[in-house]
Amino acid sequence: MPRPLPPISPSPLQRLRLPWVERAGIALWLKRDDLLHPHISGNKWRKLAPNIAHAVRQGHCHLLTFGGAYSNHLTAVAAAGRLLSFRTTGIVRGERVEPLNPSLSFAEGQGMRLHFLSRSEFRLRKKAEAWPEWQRRLGPCYILPEGGSNDLAVQGCADIAREVEAVGIEPDYWVVAAGTGATAAGIVRGKRHGQVWAVSALKGDFLERAIEHFAGCPCGTHWRLVRGYHHGGFARWTPALVAFINDFRRATGVRLDPIYTGKMMWAVYRLALSSFFRVGSEVVAVHTGGLQGIAGFNERFGVLIR
Ligand SMILES: *Cc1c(COP(=O)(O)O)cnc(C)c1O
C-alpha cells in the first residue's frame, strides 16, 4: 500500500564564515535542505511531501509527472515512488537517447516508466488541460505538474522559512534559486521577517507572474526577482560559474549544482561584493539540493565540477 513521506526534523542551518562575507559586514547562513534525503533532495522533498500525503488520502497508487532530461523533480518522484510503493510514470521532454543520461537511468532504475515526447508535444501535453487524456490512457493517477509546483508544494516550502525562524533567526534577506518560483513563494508565505530574493535560474520573464500568483503578493513587497545571474539561460553556464562552485566547495565543504544553487550562491557573492546587503544584516541562503544533476553535467562537459 502506498504511504506518505515520513515526518522529518528541520534541516541544518549552517553559518558560513568566509572572507567575502566578513568584508560585506553580514551574517550569512545556509539552510541545508540538500541534506534532507540523498535522492528526494532539497525543495523537492518539501514539495512532494504534502502532494503525496494528498495522493494517499485520495487512494492513488500511481504518480505521473513531467520533466526535462536532467530534471531533479523526475528523479525525486522516481525515488519517492520506489520508497513509498507508488507506480511512477515520467513524461520526458525530448527524444530518448541511449545510453540514458545518469538522471534518467536513475529514474528508470527506481522503476519509473518513461515516455518521451518531442519538445512541442511536451509543451502541449504537460498542461492541465491535457491531464484527463493521460488519465484516460494510463488509468487513475495523481498528476504532479512540471517541477512539482502547485499550491500544496508552495505550502510545503513554507516550512523552510518556519524552521529558520523557529531557531530565533530574524532574516533581513532570504536568497533562493527560482525555476518555477514555487519555492520562493513558499518562503514568502512561511516567513515573518525580511524579504525574499528569488534568483532566476533562467532567462525570460514569466517568473515574476508565477511568483506573484503562488505568493499572493506583488514583486517589490515581500519578495523581489533577481535577474542577471543565469549565465546565459537555463542550464547554461560559464567557466567563471564552474570555478566559483569548485572554490566554494574548497572553502566550505559544501557542493553546489550548476543549474540552481551555484547560480544562487554566485548571486549572493556578487551582491555581497557590491554591498547590496545592508551592513549588519542577516542573510539566509537556501540550499535547495539538486546535486544529482552534477553527474549529468560532468558527463556532458567533462569532469568540471568536483
Ligand atoms: C527544482 C529546483 C529549483 C527550482 O525550484 P522552483 O520551486 O521551481 O523555483 C531550485 N533549486 C533546485 C536545486 C531544484 O532542484
Side-chain angles (χ1 to χ4, degrees):
M1 278 297 278
R3 29 177 215 289
L5 281 167
I8 42 164
S9 28
S11 65
L13 189 64
Q14 177 180 355
R15 178 94 186 249
L16 295 177
R17 296 178 190 277
L18 293 163
W20 56 267
V21 174
E22 307 290 319
R23 247 178 277 129
I26 60 175
L28 178 61
W29 302 87
L30 188 60
K31 179 64 171 161
R32 296 293 306 275
D33 269 17
D34 56 314
L35 300 176
L36 284 178
H37 187 274
H39 303 303
I40 311 165
S41 164
N43 59 347
K44 301 306 185 279
W45 178 292
R46 306 280 187 184
K47 293 172 169 198
L48 283 174
N51 272 290
I52 291 178
H54 188 54
V56 169
R57 280 194 300 274
Q58 293 189 331
H60 281 290
C61 46
H62 182 185
L63 305 174
L64 178 137
T65 195
F66 309 87
Y70 294 89
S71 163
N72 296 329
H73 169 65
L74 274 187
T75 59
V77 171
R82 160 56 64 87
L83 182 71
L84 307 170
S85 309
F86 282 91
R87 242 179 93 193
T88 55
T89 300
I91 312 300
V92 187
R93 181 177 59 234
E95 312 295 317
R96 186 177 178 108
V97 180
E98 298 283 359
L100 290 178
N101 73 44
S103 303
L104 293 178
S105 95
F106 172 84
E108 225 174 48
Q110 297 290 300
M112 180 176 256
R113 290 277 301 275
L114 301 178
H115 290 272
F116 292 80
L117 294 180
S118 70
R119 286 170 173 269
S120 53
E121 279 272 294
F122 181 87
R123 203 174 310 120
L124 290 175
R125 307 210 28 216
K126 73 176 180 184
K127 291 195 175 143
E129 300 85 79
W131 291 2
E133 173 66 20
W134 288 112
Q135 281 153 334
R136 265 195 299 280
R137 270 181 57 185
L138 301 175
C141 50
Y142 185 84
I143 303 187
L144 291 150
E146 192 177 23
S149 298
N150 56 17
D151 277 327
L152 284 174
V154 172
Q155 289 171 36
C157 291
D159 286 343
I160 300 171
R162 294 195 190 108
E163 286 179 11
V164 169
E165 295 186 354
V167 298
I169 293 185
E170 299 183 355
D172 298 284
Y173 309 93
W174 305 80
V175 191
V176 61
T180 65
T183 306
I187 296 170
V188 170
R189 287 186 169 248
K191 77 170 181 65
R192 296 164 55 94
H193 301 277
Q195 194 179 45
V196 178
W197 289 15
V199 179
S200 178
L202 33 91
K203 242 175 1 202
D205 43 28
F206 67 92
L207 249 181
E208 186 167 326
R209 288 215 342 258
I211 300 177
E212 180 168 330
H213 163 76
F214 283 131
C217 55
C219 186
T221 54
H222 290 277
W223 61 277
R224 49 171 288 196
L225 194 57
V226 179
R227 308 163 197 267
Y229 298 96
H230 54 62
H231 293 257
F234 186 67
R236 300 297 174 92
W237 58 281
T238 60
L241 175 67
V242 167
F244 174 77
I245 288 172
N246 288 326
D247 287 346
F248 187 81
R249 185 178 190 189
R250 266 192 297 277
T252 64
V254 179
R255 301 183 86 196
L256 301 171
D257 80 291
I259 315 293
Y260 293 107
T261 57
K263 293 177 180 180
M264 180 280 298
M265 193 51 74
W266 166 278
V268 173
Y269 168 67
R270 301 294 297 190
L271 293 167
L273 280 190
S274 332
S275 306
F276 268 89
F277 301 115
R278 207 166 1 88
V279 172
S281 57
E282 307 248 12
V283 182
V284 174
V286 182
H287 196 316
T288 42
L291 300 177
Q292 70 87 28
I294 294 174
F297 181 88
N298 281 344
E299 187 187 70
R300 282 174 80 190
F301 302 114
V303 183
L304 296 176
I305 295 177
R306 280 159 229 285

